[in-house]
Amino acid sequence: MLGENVKSLGKGAWQAIRLLGASLRIQLLAWIFLTLIGAICINLYLSFLTANATANLILDQTLMASARVIAEDVTVDESGAAQIDIPPAALEMFDTGYQDRVFYRVITAWGNLVAGFPDLTESTRPGIGEEAVFHDSPVRLLTLYHPLVGLKQQGDIAVTVAATRSGWTAMRDRLWLSDFSKQLVLVLLAGTVTIVGLQRGLAPVLRLRDAVRDRGRERLDPLSLDIVQTELRPLVATLNDHMERVQNQIAAQRRFVANAAHQLRTPLALIAMQASVAAREADPARREEALQSLRTSTRLMTRLASQLLTLSRAEPGSRRPRSDRIDFAATVRQILEYHAEEALGRGMDLGLEADEQPIFVEGDGTMLREMVVNLVDNALRYTPRGGTVTVRTTREGDEAVLQIEDSGPGIPEGERDHVFERFYRIVGTQAEGSGLGLAIVREVVTGAGGNVTLRDATTGGLLLTVRIPAVGP
Ligand SMILES: Nc1ncnc2c1ncn2[C@@H]1O[C@H](COP(=O)(O)OP(=O)(O)OP(=O)(O)O)[C@@H](O)[C@H]1O
Ligand SMILES: [Mg+2]
């Protein structure tokens, strides 16, 4: 139980850290604080080293001065032996109010103790202070070699002076603290200025965030570039571009829905009228006629609804992208077989020119089939009775090519771009239809990474060519 609580607490803390880590402001502040703490630590160490060195220098100078005073007071008596009466000034210079103890030793070159502690050792280098322990107390000691004239044996006398370190420690700490506190003020000042600068620098980013967050869902007008610094303006410009595209898309969707509603309303009104005519008609022949019209209108409605559905499915993002591997040539053949009877009924010559080899393409099989169905349907529908429709499938390099050539009226040059628009039908077109077939074709073909072109056919009608990427050998 406790273990679980600790676990969930740990998880919560980790999540909080990750959230904080995701904030640019916190990241920058964390880096600044880390730098400041690093600077303070280095500062602390360097001031300590400087204070230590300074305190050593001062103590060594005092030791040297004391040794010199002692050495100068050593005299030679009548027997040629050295003797000394230690002058109080030599020891008083250590009286700094910290009860430090001072030890000394004066010996001749041949080892005769003149005064002081016989067990006090000499410093390894003459005139230079060093650390040592004497009678269990840490001390700093220094030895001075001084020539003395008149001794029975010639040679320097060695004066060693050692002092405990309470006064020294106090001095070092004072030096250190005053140095450190000055530098600390400087570091903190620099830190504060950096943080203020950071806050000011980030303010436009936060303003941009608020501007985006606080606008309503339907507001898509461009954001002003002036609210951020120059480096961030490309980001705002990209955001504005994106919003413009969304706005255009929404407008296109609205137009489409309005168009679709309009297209549905007209036949629905017609159906309602035909139904009431049929209901009122007493004459069986005329009633049958009215019912027949009703059936035709209903069929048209159904066709319109299914074309709308196909178009919405063909739009990018409306279906899960599929990559079926299908034999395009076989698909076209099946569709033509399906339409053969209809063509025959209208006395039309529907022909297929294709190799036996399969042509593989990758994509949404259902949508590719819808595309071919719409093209064959158009060719059969707009070509007058007795005409010809020829369908060719070939492979050209990396492309699967579908050509549909008919002997119908063709599409005039000026209309070729428009016929791909939704609900667009050439004025005067007699055959029934909703104007969505070629819009579906274009969506499917561009979705498959291909293209569709219209030309005049040699037979006088339309030559429509679809090229889509093929796969495999
Ligand atoms: N093979 C063709 N020959 C001549 N005109 C054509 C041909 N194919 C299309 N058109 C013209 O292009 C217009 C648009 O065709 P599209 O297939 O988009 O719509 P539709 O056939 O009218 O309706 P549906 O949605 O039922 O297919 C048609 O109305 C017709 O005028
Ligand atoms: Mg059509």
Side-chain angles (χ1 to χ4, degrees):
M1 186 69 187
L2 185 71
E4 259 173 35
N5 280 347
V6 170
K7 228 182 191 171
S8 76
L9 207 68
K11 223 167 146 184
W14 177 238
Q15 257 172 0
I17 288 172
R18 273 184 42 188
L19 268 181
L20 288 178
S23 153
L24 175 65
R25 198 160 25 155
I26 300 225
Q27 266 183 25
L28 289 174
L29 281 177
W31 277 110
I32 290 175
F33 273 117
L34 275 181
T35 316
L36 284 182
I37 288 170
I40 288 173
C41 289
I42 293 173
N43 190 8
L44 204 68
Y45 180 63
L46 289 182
S47 339
F48 179 78
L49 287 187
T50 317
N52 218 35
T54 313
N56 273 344
L57 198 72
I58 293 172
L59 183 56
D60 287 357
Q61 275 173 1
T62 315
L63 289 170
M64 177 64 104
S66 162
R68 205 162 265 142
V69 171
I70 293 173
E72 267 153 24
D73 269 26
V74 179
T75 50
V76 181
D77 62 12
E78 312 80 67
S79 62
Q83 65 171 28
I84 183 168
D85 191 10
I86 295 290
L91 306 179
E92 275 164 8
M93 48 180 93
F94 292 96
D95 186 12
T96 47
Y98 289 92
Q99 268 112 40
D100 272 319
R101 280 175 301 147
V102 187
F103 312 98
Y104 59 89
R105 184 185 77 165
V106 183
I107 57 167
T108 58
W110 56 96
N112 256 13
L113 178 72
V114 183
F117 292 86
D119 53 345
L120 189 63
T121 51
E122 288 180 13
S123 63
T124 39
R125 282 179 297 168
I128 294 177
E130 67 187 33
E131 310 293 323
V133 175
F134 185 66
H135 289 186
D136 296 332
S137 305
V139 292
R140 189 160 177 92
L141 59 77
L142 176 144
T143 304
L144 172 76
Y145 297 93
H146 187 75
L148 193 62
V149 208
L151 284 174
K152 58 178 181 229
Q153 269 177 284
Q154 277 306 311
D156 290 349
I157 53 158
V159 181
T160 303
V161 184
T164 54
R165 315 187 46 149
S166 313
W168 177 89
T169 311
M171 175 169 58
R172 182 200 64 191
D173 290 348
R174 256 200 321 278
L175 283 172
W176 178 41
L177 275 178
S178 89
D179 190 23
F180 174 66
S181 53
K182 269 183 242 149
Q183 293 197 28
L184 188 67
V185 169
L186 279 181
V187 167
L188 289 182
L189 202 68
T192 316
V193 171
T194 315
I195 288 169
V196 170
L198 173 74
Q199 294 284 29
R200 288 185 68 92
L202 278 180
V205 180
L206 300 181
R207 263 205 309 276
L208 173 65
R209 178 199 66 188
D210 294 343
V212 174
R213 192 185 51 191
D214 296 343
R215 50 177 35 208
R217 244 172 14 123
E218 65 291 343
R219 267 195 66 190
L220 288 167
D221 52 302
L223 292 158
S224 159
L225 291 183
D226 299 335
I227 58 171
V228 288
Q229 297 99 327
T230 42
E231 289 85 346
L232 289 174
R233 286 186 189 162
L235 175 71
V236 178
T238 315
L239 204 63
N240 283 345
D241 269 4
H242 180 70
M243 287 197 294
E244 194 184 330
R245 277 202 303 278
V246 172
Q247 206 165 18
N248 291 342
Q249 224 167 345
I250 291 176
Q253 292 280 2
R254 285 202 182 123
R255 267 200 312 276
F256 179 66
V257 171
N259 261 331
H262 182 73
Q263 298 283 334
L264 288 168
R265 202 174 51 178
T266 316
L268 273 176
L270 193 67
I271 287 174
M273 198 189 74
Q274 285 162 340
S276 56
V277 167
R280 266 189 275 116
E281 202 53 72
D283 177 13
R286 297 193 44 187
R287 175 190 247 159
E288 185 48 40
E289 201 180 312
L291 282 175
Q292 190 54 42
S293 317
L294 189 61
R295 266 182 228 114
T296 310
S297 301
T298 316
R299 202 185 58 239
L300 283 179
M301 269 294 283
T302 314
R303 159 104 179 136
L304 172 59
S306 79
Q307 287 287 78
L308 275 173
L309 193 64
T310 311
L311 183 60
S312 90
R313 283 183 180 155
E315 280 184 332
S318 57
R319 271 161 75 92
R320 200 145 39 88
R322 284 173 58 178
S323 50
D324 310 329
R325 184 183 162 93
I326 62 163
D327 177 358
F328 191 57
T331 307
V332 172
R333 196 177 313 119
Q334 278 164 14
I335 292 168
L336 289 196
E337 278 162 13
Y338 182 77
H339 281 85
E341 204 173 325
E342 179 193 340
L344 210 64
R346 300 184 56 205
M348 292 180 63
D349 175 10
L350 175 60
L352 172 67
E353 293 175 10
D355 297 338
E356 280 304 301
Q357 262 86 13
I359 307 170
F360 288 109
V361 296
E362 227 166 51
D364 189 325
T366 316
M367 284 297 131
L368 286 170
R369 231 169 306 216
E370 284 291 346
M371 184 264 287
V372 181
V373 167
N374 265 290
L375 291 177
V376 174
D377 177 75
N378 275 357
L380 291 179
R381 196 183 312 181
Y382 298 115
T383 305
R385 283 182 165 275
T388 55
V389 173
T390 311
V391 178
R392 281 180 219 106
T393 52
T394 47
R395 186 186 168 124
E396 286 179 16
D398 290 342
E399 284 179 333
V401 182
L402 166 71
Q403 285 195 316
I404 302 183
E405 189 171 7
D406 64 46
S407 60
I411 297 180
E413 193 105 33
E415 298 278 9
R416 288 183 189 164
D417 279 339
H418 297 302
V419 288
F420 290 101
E421 287 166 16
R422 297 164 176 202
F423 299 113
Y424 189 87
R425 307 197 75 211
I426 297 173
V427 180
T429 304
Q430 293 297 318
E432 47 192 47
S434 50
L436 291 176
L438 288 179
I440 294 171
V441 170
R442 189 172 60 178
E443 286 290 353
V444 174
V445 173
T446 35
N451 60 63
V452 47
T453 50
L454 304 178
R455 274 198 291 144
D456 289 327
T458 44
T459 45
L462 182 72
L463 170 63
L464 186 143
T465 311
V466 169
R467 291 171 183 277
I468 47 176
V471 290

